[in-house]
């Protein structure tokens, strides 16, 4: 478990969403741990190891060493590694692997296109934007609608499903809602403000049933305003995920800035230890 001082230190050094304890704990249900300058989350028979060092200086050799220590300490049955490069010890044993890139929007360096401003202003005539800190049945209906129409990676689908619990338990989560003239929810964004130096676009969705053109563009503009209000000039836009999501992020000036690798490895320590204990009782 992290002390309040350790958590504050992590948030001051954070540069990827996985460094944000308020985000990761409600979603993973794990307990945060700190191994030198690497963050992790553990529970029961699994370990999430975040391979992005808090000092920002990635070393494959150092990552390999600290990962080995964490595995020896917690002896997980399942390991989920997230980092810029997969250590050699995991490469041949990956049960599942994913490659992507994080996208970032630098508000000091990016000048918004006039066309985007016009789209947002057009949507503003049809939409009311509100900020909240809760997920309702309306949001869950939009999530269900999205998951039925889009083929998303399993972990992204799980992320959407985890939103009600995450927003309920995170004091730094903000929900941006777009409602049409009848008060119906037509789109929403979830933004995480816990990191010191950036805000995080966690995810969003829009309705086909109550569709209003450019509702998501208006929410993106609202996210920029929210970020600036909190004294930040950078938005971490998350992963590319698929072509449609990448295009939307790039349209607003998002650029890839950091490689992302995911690897799942199965160790099976739990079963092995149980078998040994069973044999010991019979000898």
């Amino acid at each position: 478990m992290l002390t309040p001082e350790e958590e504050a230190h992590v948030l001051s050094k954070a540069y990827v969403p996985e460094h944000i304890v308020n985000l990761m704990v409600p979603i993973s249900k794990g307990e945060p741990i700190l191994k030198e300058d690497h963050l992790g989350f553990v529970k029961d028979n699994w370990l999430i190891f975040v391979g992005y060092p808090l000092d920002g200086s990635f070393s494959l050799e150092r990552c390999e060493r600290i990962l080995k220590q964490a595995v020896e300490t917690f002896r997980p049955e399942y390991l989920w590694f997230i980092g810029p490069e997969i250590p050699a010890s995991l490469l041949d044993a990956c049960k599942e692997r994913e490659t992507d890139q994080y996208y970032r929007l630098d508000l000091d360096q990016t000048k918004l296109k006039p066309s985007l401003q016009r789209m947002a202003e057009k949507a503003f005539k049809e939409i009311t934007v509100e900020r909240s800190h809760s997920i309702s049945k309306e949001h869950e209906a939009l999530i269900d609608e999205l998951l039925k129409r889009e083929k998303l990676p399993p972990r992204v689908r799980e992320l959407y499903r985890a939103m009600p619990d995450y927003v309920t338990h995170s004091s730094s989560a903000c929900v941006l809602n777009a409602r049409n003239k009848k008060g119906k929810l037509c789109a929403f964004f979830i933004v995480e403000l816990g990191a010191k130096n950036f805000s995080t676009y966690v995810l969003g969705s829009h309705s086909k049933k109550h569709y209003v053109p450019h509702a998501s563009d208006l929410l993106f503009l609202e996210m920029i305003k929210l970020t600036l209000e909190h004294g930040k000039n950078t938005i971490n836009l998350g992963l590319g995920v698929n072509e449609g999501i990448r295009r939307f992020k790039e349209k607003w000036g998002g650029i890839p800035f950091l490689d992302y690798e995911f690897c799942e490895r199965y160790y099976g320590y739990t079963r092995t230890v149980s078998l040994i204990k069973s044999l010991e009782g019979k000898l």
Side-chain angles (χ1 to χ4, degrees):
M1 193 69 178
L2 300 186
T3 65
E5 292 76 18
E6 287 174 327
E7 184 172 339
H9 170 70
V10 170
L11 292 176
S12 71
K13 298 292 186 179
Y15 55 91
V16 293
E18 286 79 8
H19 286 152
I20 304 174
V21 178
N22 273 358
L23 174 65
M24 291 297 293
V25 169
I27 290 174
S28 71
K29 309 294 190 240
E31 179 179 314
I33 58 156
L34 197 57
K35 285 282 187 179
E36 295 185 27
D37 60 347
H38 283 72
L39 189 64
F41 301 88
V42 297
K43 186 179 180 182
D44 300 332
N45 65 339
W46 55 259
L47 164 66
I48 297 173
F49 186 86
V50 182
Y52 297 97
L54 292 170
D55 65 9
S57 180
F58 177 77
S59 161
L60 191 58
E61 182 180 354
R62 180 178 60 167
C63 182
E64 183 92 64
R65 174 178 59 81
I66 299 173
L67 172 62
K68 182 180 179 182
Q69 292 175 359
V71 170
E72 289 174 349
T73 300
F74 298 104
R75 298 187 68 79
E77 190 169 358
Y78 288 94
L79 167 71
W80 293 295
F81 175 88
I82 301 165
E85 189 174 347
I86 296 177
S89 63
L90 299 180
L91 277 175
D92 295 333
C94 281
K95 182 180 178 183
E96 185 180 349
R97 185 175 176 180
E98 181 183 321
T99 299
D100 206 326
Q101 290 178 305
Y102 288 102
Y103 278 71
R104 177 175 63 191
L105 177 62
D106 187 331
L107 299 177
D108 285 341
Q109 301 295 324
T110 306
K111 185 176 181 180
L112 297 183
K113 299 175 183 177
S115 59
L116 293 176
Q117 294 274 12
R118 288 194 296 270
M119 285 191 292
E121 290 170 3
K122 184 176 180 181
F124 186 71
K125 297 177 181 179
E126 304 294 328
I127 290 173
T128 298
V129 174
E130 61 183 22
R131 299 177 183 179
S132 72
H133 299 280
S134 63
I135 293 287
S136 68
K137 294 296 183 182
E138 286 182 292
H139 296 88
E140 293 183 32
L142 262 65
I143 290 173
D144 288 340
E145 186 183 325
L146 173 70
L147 297 183
K148 287 177 182 177
R149 72 172 183 258
E150 298 287 346
K151 188 176 181 180
L152 298 173
R155 279 178 301 284
V156 177
R157 299 178 71 87
E158 291 169 11
L159 180 63
Y160 272 94
R161 292 300 188 193
M163 285 301 99
D165 196 49
Y166 153 59
V167 171
T168 297
H169 290 94
S170 175
S171 59
S172 50
C174 183
V175 183
L176 305 180
N177 300 318
R179 296 187 179 277
N180 64 19
K181 290 183 177 180
K182 294 183 178 181
K184 299 294 184 180
L185 186 68
C186 53
F188 73 90
F189 277 12
I190 298 179
V191 183
E192 170 59 49
L193 298 164
K196 179 182 178 180
N197 299 313
F198 64 95
S199 65
T200 300
Y201 167 73
V202 180
L203 53 74
S205 184
H206 68 272
S207 174
K208 292 294 187 182
K209 183 178 180 181
H210 304 295
Y211 180 73
V212 176
H214 306 301
S216 294
D217 293 308
L218 182 58
L219 289 181
F220 202 106
L221 190 60
E222 185 69 15
M223 178 171 65
I224 291 175
K225 293 177 182 177
L226 179 68
T227 299
L228 294 173
E229 287 172 14
H230 281 77
K232 309 172 196 289
N233 58 13
T234 302
I235 303 175
N236 187 304
L237 297 174
L239 301 176
V241 182
N242 59 41
E243 185 60 31
I245 293 175
R246 284 193 295 272
R247 283 200 306 269
F248 181 73
K249 294 175 180 180
E250 289 171 353
K251 179 179 75 172
W252 276 91
I255 58 173
F257 79 102
L258 188 61
D259 289 336
Y260 169 94
E261 293 280 355
F262 169 88
C263 173
E264 175 184 295
R265 177 170 180 178
Y266 173 71
Y267 288 98
Y269 285 146
T270 301
R271 294 180 183 178
T272 303
V273 172
S274 297
L275 176 59
I276 292 173
K277 288 183 176 179
S278 177
L279 288 174
E280 285 176 345
K282 294 178 182 179
L283 294 177

